[in-house]
Amino acid sequence: MVFPLFVWRVPNAATELLTEQELELGIHAGDAETSLLLSILPEQVNMAAAVREYPQGLPSQSLLSMEGQLPFAWTTRDLSRSGVLGDPTVATKAKGDQILASLGASWAQVIRDIYQFQQPKTWKSAQVLQ
């Protein structure tokens, strides 16, 4: 079986800790990712180099988005001069600790769910198996 999984699609504390703008547009090197790195590998983070940059000129009043149900294709270079899509300047280790703990708990549940998962059998597929 194939399970199309994405790290941020499980319940996590980011929804309680980040701004609405960051939740929507902070998708690379922003508050959440930088906070996580401050929690996991703080020696690898240079907060003095952190810059805030959000994509400009995105389609408004459109069903299309960078990520989500109807995404359009893009590269980071298309949307950002710095390589940042978000606001790492407000990142903290405390936020990272909370996000990491919540992601860990949710992914542990996902792994349990996958382990216990049984593909539903339709009447037709049950007949084929007999």
Side-chain angles (χ1 to χ4, degrees):
M1 282 186 260
V2 175
F3 296 88
L5 305 173
F6 182 66
V7 69
W8 294 105
R9 297 239 169 100
V10 298
N12 67 80
T15 57
E16 302 155 14
L17 299 171
L18 306 181
T19 65
E20 189 174 314
Q21 183 180 32
E22 190 70 14
L23 288 170
E24 181 184 351
L25 301 173
I27 60 173
H28 183 63
D31 189 0
E33 288 182 352
T34 304
S35 291
L36 275 173
L37 282 173
L38 286 169
S39 175
I40 299 167
L41 297 166
E43 66 281 356
Q44 298 296 313
V45 180
N46 179 3
M47 288 300 289
V51 295
R52 178 183 189 271
E53 185 176 353
Y54 289 103
Q56 302 296 312
L58 293 175
S60 62
Q61 305 301 315
S62 174
L63 294 176
L64 303 176
S65 64
M66 290 187 310
E67 295 185 330
Q69 297 290 335
L70 299 169
F72 58 86
W74 57 272
T75 66
T76 302
R77 191 177 327 200
D78 295 332
L79 303 174
S80 170
R81 288 185 177 164
S82 66
V84 172
L85 294 169
D87 186 4
T89 66
V90 295
T92 66
K93 180 185 181 315
K95 278 193 264 188
D97 291 345
Q98 287 181 267
I99 294 169
L100 182 62
S102 64
L103 284 169
S106 290
W107 279 104
Q109 180 62 51
V110 169
I111 292 166
R112 284 190 295 273
D113 290 351
I114 289 172
Y115 178 75
Q116 297 169 357
F117 184 77
Q118 296 284 324
Q119 181 72 36
K121 304 279 190 259
T122 64
W123 176 82
K124 223 172 189 180
S125 65
Q127 276 190 327
V128 172
L129 292 174
Q130 291 179 0

mmCIF file of all heavy atoms in Angstrom, residues 10 17 26 58 89 97 110 126:
data_model
loop_
_atom_site.group_PDB
_atom_site.id
_atom_site.type_symbol
_atom_site.label_atom_id
_atom_site.label_comp_id
_atom_site.label_asym_id
_atom_site.label_seq_id
_atom_site.Cartn_x
_atom_site.Cartn_y
_atom_site.Cartn_z
ATOM 1 N N VAL A 10 -0.080 16.413 9.836
ATOM 2 C CA VAL A 10 -0.585 15.781 11.054
ATOM 3 C C VAL A 10 -0.872 16.888 12.068
ATOM 4 O O VAL A 10 -0.317 17.983 11.972
ATOM 5 C CB VAL A 10 0.415 14.754 11.641
ATOM 6 C CG1 VAL A 10 0.664 13.617 10.657
ATOM 7 C CG2 VAL A 10 1.709 15.412 12.061
ATOM 8 N N LEU A 17 0.857 28.277 17.547
ATOM 9 C CA LEU A 17 2.024 29.104 17.844
ATOM 10 C C LEU A 17 2.389 30.111 16.765
ATOM 11 O O LEU A 17 3.118 31.059 17.031
ATOM 12 C CB LEU A 17 3.238 28.196 18.086
ATOM 13 C CG LEU A 17 3.124 27.222 19.253
ATOM 14 C CD1 LEU A 17 4.285 26.248 19.241
ATOM 15 C CD2 LEU A 17 3.060 27.978 20.570
ATOM 16 N N GLY A 26 4.471 30.688 5.249
ATOM 17 C CA GLY A 26 5.783 30.394 5.822
ATOM 18 C C GLY A 26 6.169 28.949 5.602
ATOM 19 O O GLY A 26 6.170 28.146 6.524
ATOM 20 N N LEU A 58 1.140 36.776 -5.446
ATOM 21 C CA LEU A 58 0.417 35.506 -5.596
ATOM 22 C C LEU A 58 -0.989 35.780 -6.103
ATOM 23 O O LEU A 58 -1.563 36.844 -5.822
ATOM 24 C CB LEU A 58 0.355 34.772 -4.251
ATOM 25 C CG LEU A 58 1.688 34.277 -3.713
ATOM 26 C CD1 LEU A 58 1.497 33.680 -2.330
ATOM 27 C CD2 LEU A 58 2.309 33.261 -4.645
ATOM 28 N N THR A 89 12.750 35.321 11.785
ATOM 29 C CA THR A 89 13.241 36.260 12.790
ATOM 30 C C THR A 89 12.512 36.116 14.125
ATOM 31 O O THR A 89 13.020 36.574 15.147
ATOM 32 C CB THR A 89 13.131 37.723 12.312
ATOM 33 O OG1 THR A 89 11.756 38.076 12.165
ATOM 34 C CG2 THR A 89 13.876 37.917 10.985
ATOM 35 N N ASP A 97 10.554 23.321 20.476
ATOM 36 C CA ASP A 97 10.343 22.192 21.393
ATOM 37 C C ASP A 97 8.882 21.740 21.365
ATOM 38 O O ASP A 97 8.596 20.540 21.310
ATOM 39 C CB ASP A 97 10.726 22.579 22.827
ATOM 40 C CG ASP A 97 12.218 22.797 23.026
ATOM 41 O OD1 ASP A 97 13.022 22.389 22.160
ATOM 42 O OD2 ASP A 97 12.571 23.396 24.068
ATOM 43 N N VAL A 110 0.342 8.055 13.600
ATOM 44 C CA VAL A 110 0.233 7.698 12.182
ATOM 45 C C VAL A 110 0.887 6.335 11.927
ATOM 46 O O VAL A 110 0.321 5.484 11.234
ATOM 47 C CB VAL A 110 0.873 8.776 11.274
ATOM 48 C CG1 VAL A 110 0.993 8.284 9.835
ATOM 49 C CG2 VAL A 110 0.072 10.060 11.330
ATOM 50 N N ALA A 126 -13.681 -8.910 -2.724
ATOM 51 C CA ALA A 126 -13.763 -10.100 -1.865
ATOM 52 C C ALA A 126 -14.030 -11.338 -2.714
ATOM 53 O O ALA A 126 -13.494 -12.405 -2.438
ATOM 54 C CB ALA A 126 -14.845 -9.919 -0.809
#
